Amino acid sequence: MAVPSFMSSRVVPGYLRVVRANRAFTDAERARAHVRERSIRPQPYGPPRRLRRDVALEVSREAGFPVYTLTPRSGRARGSVVYVHGGGWVNEIAPQHWALAAEIAARAGTTVTVPIYPLIPFGTAGQVVPAIATLVSENMSRYGGACLAGDSAGGQIALSAALLLRDEQQVKMPRTVLISPALDQSLRNPEIDVVQPSDPWLGKAGARVFIEFWRGELSVDDPLVSPLAADLPGLGPLSVFCGTRDIVHPDTKLLVAKAGAAGVEVDYHEGQDLVHVFPLTPTPEGRAARAVIVDRLRAALATV
């Protein structure tokens, strides 16, 4: 979805409704048609040609799918960040994701790895989350350290991967950044229905279709699918961003409370009256949030 280069946050909800950003989420049949269309006609995923000039790009397929590496052209890159893009597990990486990944690489002075992971109906949580965890582990060895970051569906993958690394490799991530993460795919939180009328982007009916494809043979309560279902003690620090006009907001509040009770350091940024993935929007609030994201990741990798 193309968006203006800059806008006020007050006009974003109206803009999203005009372009019908939620059309694949409001109806189950439309969601199934969207999955079929994306499977037959995949979206392009390559980075924009006009990405930042101070960042270099490479790509490999060692993981079995394309993995891009963004590095600052000047100075020493410290550690790495694995950035997992959102899109409801069905949509490809968008220019806004590429812009944030490049900004992190340039301004945090780090290597950013962007996996173009398999989407539904071909990719499932049971396949993708372990692959991302493996990628993080390889980055830790290759670059001396790694953080995780992701938005929306990518936030789910990032948090599930952090939990998997904790459980299987006893790895405590130095920082995981979550932007409007999809946390509980049961969608059973009653507060979701309270928020739904004000959310111009997401909807439960279509999301349930995408979730059924994504979970595959796993239970909807498996932490590889719904990280909110996991026990959280021993998890590394979290930076969490979510707007209040977002149906993932109720579960985000539960995550923040549950993580705090488990002794996990949580840096929570709530955007009043802001929409889904507001840090990626071309607004003053989005720009401020991106500055915080860069700061937190730079600090986490400072000793690498």
Side-chain angles (χ1 to χ4, degrees), residues 5-85:
S5 59
F6 187 80
M7 64 170 66
S8 165
S9 62
R10 293 192 299 272
V11 306
V12 171
Y15 172 80
L16 292 172
R17 294 193 190 280
V18 167
V19 300
R20 299 176 62 209
N22 66 348
R23 59 186 175 273
F25 287 92
T26 56
D27 178 81
E29 285 305 314
R30 189 177 289 119
R32 293 187 188 96
H34 187 70
V35 174
R36 183 175 183 275
E37 176 66 16
R38 288 288 181 259
S39 66
I40 293 173
R41 298 178 179 85
Q43 295 172 292
Y45 56 76
R49 292 187 179 277
R50 293 187 178 182
L51 206 60
R52 300 177 64 115
R53 294 182 179 178
D54 52 358
V55 170
L57 274 164
E58 295 182 358
V59 65
S60 75
R61 284 184 172 265
E62 295 174 9
F65 46 82
V67 176
Y68 285 83
T69 302
L70 292 74
T71 53
R73 290 187 182 277
S74 62
R76 174 185 170 231
R78 290 182 176 273
S80 67
V81 175
V82 175
Y83 189 91
V84 191
H85 73 84

Side-chain angles (χ1 to χ4, degrees), residues 8-18 21-22 152 180 191-203 241-253 268-279 281 285:
S8 165
S9 62
R10 293 192 299 272
V11 306
V12 171
Y15 172 80
L16 292 172
R17 294 193 190 280
V18 167
N22 66 348
S152 194
S180 300
E191 293 299 313
I192 293 174
D193 292 329
V194 177
V195 177
Q196 180 69 89
S198 69
D199 187 336
W201 205 329
L202 303 182
F241 300 78
C242 193
T244 60
R245 298 187 64 166
D246 186 341
I247 63 171
V248 306
H249 180 244
D251 286 338
T252 298
K253 291 190 295 182
Y268 179 44
H269 303 265
E270 184 173 274
Q272 189 62 41
D273 292 325
L274 300 185
V275 300
H276 188 59
V277 296
F278 78 86
T281 61
E285 294 86 353

Side-chain angles (χ1 to χ4, degrees), residues 128-139:
V128 173
V129 173
I132 299 303
T134 297
L135 187 60
V136 173
S137 183
E138 291 172 350
N139 271 23

